């Protein structure tokens, strides 16, 4: 005798049941689009590329751009506000009929209070109090207006110094140390091309293992024959700039080289070098990078130069 088993299925919860036509119509009336409960289709490759491009594009600072393009107007804005406030106070006093200087003697008027003239004295006293309060407010407004005008004059008198690249005074130079392998030379030349193209670098000196392996870019000219001044690696390594950079094992960025007395330790660089980076290359070398602009190396440039130094250390340690 065969026994048949019946399987009783429990009803699905309301949240898992497929939406009926009436339910879909009700949702459509409520403003829900058809298929809102279903997961959207994944974006295509083209849409993903467009999203990445939009994410990489820098956000435009409309306020900052407007301020930079209207610098004179922004600096003179306190003068305009202070002048307008000053004129408004004077116009208010002229229209309202208030005297320029309040007279306190008007409060008593030299009269004795009697039942007959008491209302007149009371109204005079109230008018004097109102006038006195207005005078105090006008004095405060005048003080603030003068402060705004003075602030605007100070803003107009102080102008930030414009920073622009300079032309290095020197001669073009390309010297490669003896014993440098072809692979290391290609790496060094690639480093120079990259720095000269992407940053404000105009001079590059690489000292490794106690020797100058590369001197390229603009170098200081010798007063005797006009040729590029050679790098004395031993003398440079005895200087404070080299020792401080190698002891700290961190990049040293001199944003305005003219302010540092240690620039005399770099006679091989042009005299008008504006910025300098001393980047240690492992424990055996250092890269001297000179720029033509004050504060010309950005934070991204500094981080990129540090990564290039690690790459150079791995290459030069094999040569």
């Amino acid at each position: 005798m065969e026994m048949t088993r019946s399987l009783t299925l429990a009803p699905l919860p309301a949240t898992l049941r497929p939406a009926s036509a009436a339910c879909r119509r009700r949702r459509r009336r409520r403003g829900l689009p058809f298929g809102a409960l279903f997961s959207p289709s994944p974006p295509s490759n083209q849409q993903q590329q467009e999203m990445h491009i939009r994410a990489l594009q820098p956000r435009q600072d409309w306020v900052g751009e407007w301020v930079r393009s209207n610098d004179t107007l922004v600096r003179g804005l306190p003068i305009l506000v202070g002048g307008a406030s000053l004129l408004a106070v004077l116009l208010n006093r002229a229209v309202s009929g208030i005297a320029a200087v309040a007279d306190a003697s008007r409060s008593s008027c030299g009269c004795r209070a009697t039942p007959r003239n008491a209302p007149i004295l009371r109204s005079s006293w109230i008018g004097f109090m109102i006038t006195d309060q207005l005078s105090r407010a006008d004095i405060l407004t005048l003080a603030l207006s003068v402060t705004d005008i003075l602030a605007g004059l100070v803003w107009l008198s102080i102008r930030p110094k414009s920073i622009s690249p300079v032309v290095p005074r020197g001669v073009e130079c390309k010297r490669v140390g003896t014993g440098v392998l072809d692979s290391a030379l290609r790496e060094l030349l690639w480093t120079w091309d990259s720095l000269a193209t992407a940053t404000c670098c105009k001079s590059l000196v690489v000292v490794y293992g106690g020797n100058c392996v590369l001197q390229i870019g603009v170098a200081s000219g010798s007063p005797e024959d006009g040729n590029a001044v050679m790098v004395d690696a031993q003398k440079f390594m005895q200087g404070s700039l080299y020792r401080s950079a190698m002891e700290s094992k961190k990049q040293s960025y001199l944003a305005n080289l003219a302010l540092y007395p240690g620039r005399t330790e770099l006679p091989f660089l042009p005299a008008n070098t504006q910025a300098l980076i001393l980047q240690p290359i492992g424990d055996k070398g250092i890269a001297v990078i000179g720029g033509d602009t004050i504060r010309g190396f950005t934070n991204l440039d500094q981080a990129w130069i540090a990564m290039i130094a690690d790459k150079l250390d791995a290459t030069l340690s094999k040569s």
Side-chain angles (χ1 to χ4, degrees):
M1 181 177 179
E2 295 183 357
M3 303 287 295
T4 59
R5 299 179 181 179
S6 62
L7 182 61
T8 303
L9 298 176
L12 289 174
T15 57
L16 299 180
R17 293 177 183 175
S20 60
C23 184
R24 288 196 296 270
R25 285 194 297 270
R26 285 195 299 269
R27 288 173 183 166
R28 203 172 299 164
R29 294 193 196 101
R30 294 175 186 172
L32 292 176
F34 181 76
L37 300 180
F38 297 94
S39 60
S41 59
S44 61
N45 295 334
Q46 184 178 1
Q47 293 177 348
Q48 291 180 356
Q49 292 178 0
E50 293 178 356
M51 293 170 60
H52 290 316
I53 293 174
R54 287 196 298 268
L56 292 176
Q57 288 179 350
R59 297 181 179 179
Q60 293 184 353
D61 186 6
W62 300 103
V63 177
E65 292 180 0
W66 184 84
V67 170
R68 283 190 294 269
S69 59
N70 301 274
D71 181 71
T72 304
L73 176 61
V74 173
R75 291 177 181 274
L77 190 60
I79 298 179
L80 299 178
V81 174
S85 302
L86 185 61
L87 292 177
V89 171
L90 297 178
L91 183 62
N92 178 53
R93 295 186 70 88
V95 172
S96 59
I98 302 175
V101 179
D103 188 4
S105 63
R106 293 184 304 170
S107 59
S108 59
C109 299
C111 301
R112 181 181 298 177
T114 61
R116 182 175 297 179
N117 62 359
I120 300 176
L121 292 177
R122 188 180 300 109
S123 60
S124 300
W125 175 254
I126 294 174
F128 169 74
M129 293 299 295
I130 294 175
T131 304
D132 185 59
Q133 293 177 359
L134 289 176
S135 299
R136 293 178 181 178
D138 291 344
I139 291 174
L140 181 59
T141 305
L142 289 174
L144 294 176
S145 302
V146 173
T147 303
D148 283 345
I149 294 174
L150 293 177
L153 292 175
V154 171
W155 285 10
L156 289 175
S157 62
I158 299 177
R159 292 281 184 173
K161 184 179 180 181
S162 60
I163 299 176
S164 58
V166 300
V167 179
R169 294 193 300 266
V171 295
E172 292 290 337
C173 172
K174 182 179 179 182
R175 290 177 178 150
V176 181
T178 59
V180 179
L181 300 180
D182 294 339
S183 58
L185 179 59
R186 286 194 299 269
E187 192 76 21
L188 290 170
L189 295 179
W190 172 85
T191 301
W192 161 247
D193 293 336
S194 301
L195 293 176
T197 303
T199 67
C200 65
C201 174
K202 296 300 179 182
S203 305
L204 175 62
V205 174
V206 178
V207 177
Y208 194 86
N211 300 315
C212 178
V213 297
L214 180 65
Q215 181 185 7
I216 194 170
V218 183
S220 177
S222 175
E224 299 176 356
D225 52 6
N227 296 328
V229 176
M230 296 185 62
V231 179
D232 190 349
Q234 299 301 324
K235 184 178 180 180
F236 170 66
M237 294 171 63
Q238 295 174 1
S240 59
L241 291 177
Y242 177 86
R243 286 188 283 105
S244 61
M246 296 305 295
E247 288 175 1
S248 63
K249 296 182 180 180
K250 294 181 180 179
Q251 183 185 97
S252 179
Y253 179 33
L254 308 181
N256 191 355
L257 186 59
L259 302 178
Y260 295 90
R263 65 186 304 272
T264 57
E265 302 176 9
L266 308 168
F268 46 85
L269 291 181
N272 61 340
T273 300
Q274 302 296 302
L276 182 73
I277 288 182
L278 297 172
Q279 176 61 55
I281 303 176
D283 298 330
K284 298 181 180 180
I286 191 171
V288 182
I289 305 171
D292 62 348
T293 308
I294 298 176
R295 295 187 294 273
F297 295 100
T298 63
N299 295 332
L300 183 60
D301 296 339
Q302 298 173 44
W304 183 48
I305 290 172
M307 296 176 62
I308 291 179
D310 296 336
K311 193 171 185 293
L312 284 178
D313 183 33
T315 303
L316 295 176
S317 60
K318 300 177 183 178
S319 59

